Amino acid sequence: MTREPMNSLVLIVEDEAALVTLLRYNLEKEGYRVAEASDGEEALAVAAETPPDLVLLDWMLPVMSGIEVCRQMRRKPRTRDIPILMLTARSEEGDKVRGLNTGADDFMTKPFSVPELIARVRALLRRTQPVQNKGELTYSDVVLDMDAHRVTRNGRSIHLGPTEFRLLQYLMQHTGLVFSREELLNAVWGPDIYVEPRTVDVHVRRLRKALNGDNEADLIRTVRAAGYAIDVEGIV
Ligand code: CA
């Protein structure tokens, strides 16, 4: 069963009133509910009170930067699983990677096309909808519970963001196969979304960091010039 994420609540965090109006109009036209915050502190307060299904987060905000909002949301149990799409006027690759490393799930540079933004919102929400009765996947000492959206390694609970969860799920459904960055983008992000292949590297790095404890084998194999696979030479 696929449930279109209609009526999902989107929190717009942006200090430019004209942009808020444009985003609100277009999101509501698509059937989403919209909440607003015009600075970072307000964003954290609104998100804590009524956790949204997704946050559109501007990088340049008064009082507290979007990056700091993102970091704080990821620290709190109530808001840490909410997908975050960062908006920025900056276009440098380094900023993008920094944004993703802070815990954002996707990134768009202003000026952006509204249809593309809506497509990304939809894809992010689809990725984070709970899937019913899919069961568990096990690989080595990792167990991924697709119903509860929980991952454990060696009995230890592993916290993953929505994108890392999907990435791990996809790799665990196809253990031993090597996927190119483009294949992973299609499978995990969706074919209608344009994301740079480097983004995959950022999420794989985050997944590895969360998954691999001290003295534990790295289960994700980087295949030079080809892509990624889940397996380890020592285990297979
Ligand atoms: Ca701004």
Side-chain angles (χ1 to χ4, degrees), residues 5 22 30 40 68 82 97 102 115 117 133 135 176 183 185 216 224:
L22 176 81
E30 295 295 318
E68 186 53 29
I82 299 172
V97 171
T102 317
L117 180 120
N133 303 319
E183 285 168 329
L185 283 174
E216 283 179 329
R224 199 167 288 279

Side-chain angles (χ1 to χ4, degrees), residues 11 43-44 46-55 57 68-85 99-106 124 128 148-152 156-165 203 206 210:
L11 172 60
L44 291 175
V46 171
E49 180 153 339
T50 311
D53 297 297
L54 181 141
V55 180
L57 180 59
E68 186 53 29
V69 173
C70 191
R71 207 174 273 140
Q72 295 208 21
M73 282 186 62
R74 286 293 177 251
R75 272 197 218 118
K76 293 175 187 142
R78 226 166 129 73
T79 53
R80 70 179 179 199
D81 294 322
I82 299 172
I84 297 174
L85 170 53
L100 290 168
N101 276 334
T102 317
D105 296 283
D106 200 358
L124 259 182
T128 51
H149 257 244
R150 264 200 293 272
V151 177
T152 57
R156 173 178 97 253
S157 172
I158 306 283
H159 179 72
L160 297 176
T163 303
E164 286 71 43
F165 185 91
H203 287 279
R206 263 154 64 171

